[in-house]
DNA sequence: AACGCGACCAACCGCCTTATA
DNA sequence: ATATAAGGCGGTTGGTCGCGT
């Protein structure tokens, strides 16, 4: 037979999450780690299906998520990646570690699609800035995708072959960055990571108890989220009535104001979670590969790319006309 | 003040793939 | 090998908010 049944669909709550539910979920994940979503509703008493719990975690509660407006840099990157990968939001999100696929998808549907459309009508479909028009994108899209897939496969293979011996690849900056979470310092095992976060969450709960949200409200969660999304810093997600508890502050303070898309903004703790909920970067094309590809694709005049940030900075510079 | 409308976004839905008994 | 549930993903929906009239 198959697996045991997940969660019976009877009495499953739907709709916006309340702060209480959020805290329960976060506390549980702090203790047990993400994964095994099937057991989450039963173990926490949450009247939510496992799918809903997972979604809430990955799209909202997971540490390291940056909320609020997208930067130009991010938008440009999304546009390029969308042209490259199509509507594969999860894949696109893997290159924007602080953004969720849902976020990117929403941003695309509400902003970027219009921007591109406007650009297309304004520029009469002309390619002024090196950014591919939708037509030109679809024209060579499959060819490009194939090319990318081949590169991905090659890269994955070369990494797999070189895993056992340190070499130039493993010495590279991006390798260190994307693998740093695999080598936690001896003083910081995974369990201790969770433990420290448990402290945070308990403080969070204490503070939250002091200033409980107004009971009304199917909107309390919504209020939280809306406030947080208007906060371009991202991070803490409490309404103004309930001032951000200090625990929350430290727990969700992964996003420095200028840490837009950089990999190294991922803290070790963050990485532990991201390791679970984001695609493993080892299996992704290194950013630089995509970067180079985009450079080839978008603009022949772009020569160098930013070593520090690992972004598609230079090629994207060429599409500043968009914004 | 009331209404309409569009923008925004969290959450749901349904399908597909993967894992497991 | 097969059936079935979990997990993952993209598309869509529905509630809320802000702005203009």
């Amino acid at each position: 037979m198959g697996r045991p049944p997940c969660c019976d669909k009877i009495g499953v709550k739907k709709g916006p999450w309340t702060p209480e539910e959020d805290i329960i979920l976060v506390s549980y994940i702090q203790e047990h780690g993400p994964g095994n979503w099937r057991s989450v509703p039963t173990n926490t008493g949450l009247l939510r299906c496992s799918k809903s719990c997972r979604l809430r975690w990955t799209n909202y509660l997971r540490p390291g998520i940056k909320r609020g407006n997208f930067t130009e840099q991010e938008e440009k990157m999304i546009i390029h990646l969308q042209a490259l990968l199509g509507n594969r939001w999860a894949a696109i999100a893997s290159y924007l570690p602080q953004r969720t696929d849902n976020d990117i998808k929403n941003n695309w549907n509400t902003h970027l699609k219009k921007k591109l459309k406007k650009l297309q009508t304004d520029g009469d479909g002309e390619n002024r800035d090196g950014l591919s028009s939708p037509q030109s994108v679809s024209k060579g899209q499959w060819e490009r995708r194939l090319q990318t897939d081949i590169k991905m496969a090659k890269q994955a293979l070369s990494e797999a072959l070189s895993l056992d011996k340190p070499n130039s690849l493993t010495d590279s900056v991006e390798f260190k960055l994307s693998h740093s979470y695999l080598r936690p310092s001896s003083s910081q095992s995974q369990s201790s990571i969770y433990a420290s976060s448990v402290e945070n969450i308990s403080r969070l709960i204490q503070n939250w108890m002091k200033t409980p949200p107004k009971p009304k409200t199917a909107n309390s969660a919504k209020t939280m989220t809306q406030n947080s999304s208007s906060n371009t810093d991202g991070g803490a997600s409490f309404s103004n009535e309930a001032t951000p508890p200090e625990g929350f502050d430290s727990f969700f303070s992964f996003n420095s104001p200028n840490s837009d898309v950089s990999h190294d903004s991922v803290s070790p703790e963050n990485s532990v979670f991201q390791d679970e909920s984001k695609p493993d970067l080892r299996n992704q094309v290194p950013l630089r590969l995509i970067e180079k590809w985009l450079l080839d694709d978008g603009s022949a005049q772009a020569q160098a790319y930013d070593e520090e940030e690992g972004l598609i900075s230079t090629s994207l510079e060429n599409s500043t006309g968009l914004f």
Side-chain angles (χ1 to χ4, degrees):
Chain A
M1 292 309 124
R3 289 175 153 196
C6 152
C7 50
D8 47 2
K9 304 267 177 183
I10 311 152
V12 173
K13 191 182 167 193
K14 289 184 180 179
W17 281 65
T18 64
E20 295 95 321
E21 289 175 310
D22 282 344
I23 289 173
I24 291 170
L25 180 59
V26 171
S27 306
Y28 178 82
I29 292 171
Q30 284 287 304
E31 226 173 305
H32 300 91
N36 196 12
W37 296 107
R38 187 171 55 121
S39 66
V40 173
T42 45
N43 290 349
T44 59
L46 286 169
L47 299 173
R48 299 276 182 173
C49 76
S50 56
K51 215 170 177 176
S52 183
C53 293
R54 180 178 58 80
L55 218 59
R56 182 63 179 169
W57 171 257
T58 55
N59 284 341
Y60 191 82
L61 297 172
R62 178 168 55 87
I65 291 179
K66 182 181 168 189
R67 313 203 65 81
N69 297 334
F70 280 63
T71 64
E72 285 185 17
Q73 195 80 278
E74 285 173 317
E75 291 194 339
K76 289 171 198 167
M77 193 160 178
I78 291 167
I79 288 169
H80 273 265
L81 287 168
Q82 203 277 341
L84 172 65
L85 300 167
N87 292 1
R88 294 191 289 187
W89 305 116
I92 293 171
S94 68
Y95 295 99
L96 292 162
Q98 297 177 311
R99 300 291 189 179
T100 68
D101 52 355
N102 208 31
D103 236 9
I104 292 170
K105 182 172 59 182
N106 281 334
N107 188 253
W108 174 264
N109 288 330
T110 56
H111 292 117
L112 299 179
K113 221 153 76 173
K114 289 171 195 165
K115 264 184 189 174
L116 278 182
K117 201 170 185 175
K118 186 170 181 293
L119 180 81
Q120 189 186 343
T121 52
D122 286 355
D124 202 19
E126 193 184 348
N127 240 345
R128 284 170 302 172
D129 48 15
L131 188 70
S132 304
S133 70
Q135 287 94 336
S136 68
V137 167
S138 59
K139 189 179 156 197
Q141 196 171 25
W142 289 106
E143 197 179 347
R144 290 172 180 184
R145 189 172 291 178
L146 181 63
Q147 192 180 0
T148 311
D149 287 345
I150 291 167
K151 285 189 178 184
M152 284 173 80
K154 279 168 74 175
Q155 184 65 26
L157 180 63
S158 85
E159 285 195 17
L161 290 173
S162 60
L163 273 181
D164 51 337
K165 49 179 180 186
N167 58 14
S168 60
L169 178 64
T170 56
D171 287 341
S172 70
V173 172
E174 72 252 273
F175 186 90
K176 282 176 188 163
L177 288 174
S178 63
H179 290 69
S180 57
Y181 63 90
L182 293 173
R183 295 175 266 102
S185 67
S186 56
S187 63
Q188 196 177 32
S189 66
Q190 180 162 323
S191 62
S192 71
I193 287 165
Y194 284 122
S196 68
S197 296
V198 166
E199 283 177 24
N200 285 337
I201 204 69
S202 65
R203 281 161 63 195
L204 184 160
I205 293 166
Q206 282 173 4
N207 281 288
W208 183 76
M209 289 305 201
K210 280 187 227 161
T211 54
K214 301 200 169 76
K216 172 203 156 189
T217 160
N219 302 338
S220 49
K222 183 76 174 181
T223 312
M224 266 175 56
T225 64
Q226 302 242 325
N227 283 337
S228 69
S229 48
S230 63
N231 172 11
T232 49
D233 257 353
S237 42
F238 275 83
S239 64
N240 290 337
E241 303 96 276
T243 54
E246 49 174 332
F248 229 79
D249 213 348
S250 60
F251 182 60
F252 287 102
S253 62
F254 299 101
N255 312 305
S256 71
N258 34 356
S259 63
D260 287 341
V261 204
S262 60
H263 284 108
D264 48 2
S265 66
V266 179
S267 72
E269 177 171 353
N270 186 10
S271 300
V272 170
F273 291 110
Q274 290 212 323
D275 185 30
E276 187 276 335
S277 51
K278 284 281 190 175
D280 188 341
L281 289 176
R282 282 173 300 172
N283 299 328
Q284 294 291 335
V285 189
L287 205 51
R288 187 160 304 178
L289 197 65
I290 284 282
E291 194 176 332
K292 188 171 185 313
W293 191 90
L294 287 171
L295 282 166
D296 293 344
D297 172 57
S299 54
Q301 68 267 41
Q303 295 291 326
Y305 34 88
D306 192 332
E307 288 286 336
E308 277 303 310
E309 296 187 1
L311 291 174
I312 314 177
S313 45
T314 34
S315 71
L316 295 179
E317 295 298 330
N318 299 322
S319 49
T320 30
L322 243 189
F323 304 91

